[in-house]
Amino acid sequence: MSDINLSAHGIDVDDVLRNATPAELYEEAVRVDPSARITRTGALRIESGEKTGRSPADKRIVRHPESEDDIWWGPINMEIDTHTFQINRERAQDYLNTRNRLYVIDGFAGWDPKHRLKARIICSRPYHALFMHNMLIRPTREELADFGEPDFVIYNAGQFPANRQTQHMTSKTSVDVSFEDSEMVILGTEYAGEMKKGIFTVMHYLMPKRGVLSMHCSANEGDDGDVSLFFGLSGTGKTTLSADPNRMLIGDDEHCWSDEGVFNIEGGCYAKAIDLSAEKEPEIYQAIRYGTVLENVVVDPGTRAVAYSDTSITQNTRASYPLEYIPNAKIPAMGDHPDNIIFLTYDAFGVMPPVAKLTPEQAMYHFISGYTAKVAGTEMGVTEPKATFSAAFGAAFLVWHPSVYAEMLAEKMREHGSEAWLVNTGITGGPYGTGHRMPLPHTRSIIDAIHDGALTDVDMTQDPVFGFQVPLHCPDVPDNILQPRKTWDDVEAYDEQAQKLVGLFRDHFKQYEEVADAEIAAAGPTLEPASV
């Protein structure tokens, strides 16, 4: 810990704690934060306030001549002007200047020294400082002494609201990024995840300009140095399947792929805590200890035990901890070029096979589509799945058009000989309500077969709907489930369900047809599957 002068950032508070230790931040949190509790295992439990999740509708990017042609403008990246950003920044500075004590965290985003970003977080809640102490890569004493000026600054004044009368403001919450000023301003939300994803947004913009692909995925490494990337939306098993006791974890959420290989952006993990148990997720469960931030969980006031199934505050309970809290984490969090790219989907329609091999064009199509499905609800025992599409398996964080990331992915796959796979962790044996979820042991066997090469030379058949290659055999997986049409009692019902899903894919992809190559568009599903 050391003092720091923040006058260059428009802040004149004298009492500033820079890179305080977790112990000091625990003491500060207990002293000033009524929601702070130390749990039975030593983690710091805290409440984020009114907002218990990100506020994507309140995210804004400054439209500036230097960057406006790069940005994928629309509902993901909404604009504000420079003047409005300056108003919000001054509002944040004014609030921070009223605090008796502030906290600064200086750290790095990106484990590769060639591409890392020096980030500075200025905040007024100790828990925000501890959170970013975990999530950024922690500098050594020598690196902190030589840190110099940051490349990017976050003003977290989340306890103070935005002014609704300010142009472009739609609520009292505003999360604003200026790439030209290399700054982010947070008003009206104390949810810590805004800082984490703010850094990711910046990396998502800067890295492609350097020829480095930024990705919303997890990554792990085998004993032979083989690297796999796991892309997938919420509920597909991205965290569970990448946390493999037989492989080293490079990271659970944010990575980059450079000319040298893969590197994690973060120094920590931000895991969902709902229904967490030692049986289901032992690595994460044992990481809930001293130094970990537990956000919005319910704690027994007597025993200080955490009720992980209690969602009375929010369903989005979270745990933030350093990467090294995972027993088989790889430090430094870097690896070689990926051997395997694995797209995970939860297909509630019961149409997709449990595993398929993709061509580079098919990989681009499914990467741009970012498909999974959720169950909308139940009415008198009848359920209807709902398709969800999120470009690059993380549209909320993209800055460039999705085709930019997809083209970079395909180029790197071709250059380094990476194989692409689609793995369905969803429903088999019929539609949702009739079929059942793919057994986790079968999915793990499929992932193992991808890693050990058992699916490389196996006989395959072309899926009549999606056109990709489906293995006829996989070790420790029954042959009959590998071709989903054969698992349905009513094959005509399967064909009807398949056509419904194909239509949803095609409708979604229409928005990308003008920028996608004809080969990519042709790599999607067809409307009239042949009978098998």
Side-chain angles (χ1 to χ4, degrees):
M1 182 195 75
S2 63
D3 292 334
I4 184 173
N5 189 303
L6 297 178
S7 58
H9 304 299
I11 296 171
D12 57 12
V13 175
D14 293 328
D15 191 354
V16 180
L17 301 186
R18 181 191 186 209
N19 286 55
T21 64
E24 291 169 308
L25 293 173
Y26 266 51
E27 292 170 352
E28 291 290 302
V30 171
R31 180 176 65 85
V32 303
D33 198 323
S35 72
R37 300 289 186 274
I38 299 175
T39 71
R40 187 167 62 182
T41 62
L44 178 67
R45 178 269 187 186
I46 213 80
E47 292 184 23
S48 64
E50 180 181 350
K51 293 294 181 73
T52 58
R54 291 182 301 104
S55 301
D58 297 305
K59 189 182 83 172
R60 300 288 185 272
I61 294 177
V62 173
R63 183 181 282 271
H64 191 279
E66 291 184 17
S67 60
E68 64 178 339
D69 292 338
D70 300 334
I71 295 171
W72 182 35
W73 297 107
I76 301 297
N77 297 305
M78 294 174 281
E79 67 176 274
I80 60 169
D81 56 76
T82 299
H83 180 63
T84 300
F85 178 81
Q86 292 171 342
I87 290 174
N88 285 345
R89 179 177 58 196
E90 184 167 335
R91 193 169 177 88
Q93 290 167 334
D94 287 347
Y95 172 77
L96 293 170
N97 274 319
T98 67
R99 304 297 92 189
N100 294 324
R101 173 173 286 178
L102 294 177
Y103 308 91
V104 167
I105 294 294
D106 284 343
F108 303 115
W111 279 89
D112 187 340
K114 292 182 181 179
H115 300 294
R116 71 185 184 186
L117 184 82
K118 294 191 295 182
R120 171 166 293 167
I121 316 299
I122 306 172
C123 55
S124 59
R125 288 191 70 178
Y127 121 75
H128 286 156
L130 181 58
F131 176 89
M132 291 308 287
H133 166 88
N134 289 344
M135 300 312 299
L136 290 173
I137 299 163
R138 292 158 289 285
T140 64
R141 187 181 297 271
E142 293 74 23
E143 287 173 332
L144 190 59
D146 297 333
F147 195 80
E149 293 302 312
D151 299 316
F152 192 81
V153 178
I154 294 179
Y155 298 87
N156 189 340
Q159 291 167 286
F160 197 60
N163 187 330
R164 296 173 188 265
Q165 304 306 313
T166 307
Q167 188 177 8
H168 303 293
M169 297 299 100
T170 54
S171 75
K172 65 180 182 181
T173 297
S174 187
V175 180
D176 308 326
V177 175
S178 170
F179 294 124
E180 283 68 32
D181 292 312
S182 299
E183 292 176 332
M184 177 179 180
V185 173
I186 299 174
L187 295 169
T189 173
E190 299 172 64
Y191 179 65
E194 295 287 7
M195 295 181 289
K196 164 190 160 69
K197 291 306 184 184
I199 295 293
F200 188 37
T201 298
V202 174
M203 294 292 279
H204 246 346
Y205 175 67
L206 294 178
M207 291 298 104
K209 293 176 78 72
R210 302 181 185 181
V212 176
L213 173 61
S214 49
M215 305 171 292
H216 185 222
C217 67
S218 58
N220 64 21
E221 180 183 280
D223 292 338
D224 295 331
D226 60 296
V227 172
S228 288
L229 303 181
F230 296 80
F231 293 86
L233 300 176
S234 178
T236 60
K238 176 166 65 90
T239 300
T240 301
L241 293 171
S242 62
D244 189 327
N246 298 315
R247 296 173 66 85
M248 300 290 286
L249 180 69
I250 297 175
D252 76 328
D253 196 44
E254 302 173 5
H255 293 82
C256 289
W257 188 352
S258 72
D259 290 339
E260 288 75 34
V262 169
F263 64 89
N264 191 351
I265 290 175
E266 301 183 293
C269 301
Y270 192 35
K272 291 182 178 178
I274 184 171
D275 293 329
L276 183 65
S277 69
E279 294 73 29
K280 292 181 187 176
E281 297 173 283
E283 292 86 3
I284 297 175
Y285 189 84
Q286 66 82 37
I288 311 301
R289 50 193 169 96
Y290 169 74
T292 295
V293 175
L294 276 175
E295 198 173 38
N296 297 317
V297 301
V298 175
V299 175
D300 186 285
T303 66
R304 297 300 173 96
V306 180
Y308 288 109
S309 60
D310 191 329
T311 58
S312 56
I313 297 176
T314 179
Q315 293 232 354
N316 188 35
T317 53
R318 293 275 181 168
S320 163
Y321 48 86
L323 184 61
E324 59 265 27
Y325 279 21
I326 297 295
N328 59 335
K330 186 182 181 188
I331 306 292
M334 302 168 64
D336 204 347
H337 299 289
D339 294 82
N340 293 292
I341 312 293
I342 300 171
F343 299 143
L344 300 169
T345 184
Y346 178 100
D347 176 30
F349 291 84
V351 170
M352 285 190 161
V355 59
K357 189 175 183 180
L358 309 179
T359 65
E361 291 76 22
Q362 288 169 340
M364 289 181 70
Y365 182 92
H366 287 278
F367 182 71
I368 290 175
S369 297
Y371 164 72
T372 193
K374 298 178 181 179
V375 178
T378 302
E379 183 177 349
M380 298 298 290
V382 178
T383 58
E384 178 69 17
K386 180 180 180 181
T388 299
F389 296 93
S390 183
F393 295 93
F397 319 118
L398 300 183
V399 181
W400 301 78
H401 191 278
S403 62
V404 173
Y405 303 94
E407 289 167 4
M408 291 184 70
L409 177 65
E411 180 182 348
K412 289 184 178 295
M413 285 177 59
R414 290 191 180 99
E415 180 180 354
H416 300 288
S418 307
E419 300 282 6
W421 306 85
L422 185 73
V423 173
N424 174 23
T425 64
I427 302 302
T428 184
Y432 189 93
T434 301
H436 58 275
R437 183 159 194 183
M438 198 73 62
L440 182 58
H442 290 167
T443 301
R444 289 196 182 279
S445 294
I446 288 169
I447 299 297
D448 290 343
I450 291 173
H451 287 150
D452 64 25
L455 298 183
T456 301
D457 299 318
V458 73
D459 291 336
M460 296 199 180
T461 183
Q462 182 172 320
D463 185 277
V465 178
F466 289 91
F468 37 50
Q469 296 295 308
V470 177
L472 294 176
H473 309 285
C474 179
D476 301 318
V477 179
D479 289 346
N480 68 305
I481 74 167
L482 295 174
Q483 298 181 64
R485 192 173 188 267
K486 294 183 177 181
T487 68
W488 283 52
D489 293 332
D490 185 344
V491 294
E492 291 183 359
Y494 169 87
D495 291 339
E496 182 180 344
Q497 188 85 321
Q499 288 311 292
K500 181 176 181 179
L501 181 57
V502 168
L504 294 171
F505 262 93
R506 291 168 70 92
D507 288 344
H508 174 263
F509 201 80
K510 286 178 181 177
Q511 62 187 303
Y512 304 117
E513 288 178 345
E514 290 185 2
V515 295
D517 292 340
E519 293 83 0
I520 300 172
T526 58
L527 279 172
E528 295 182 1
S531 298
V532 293

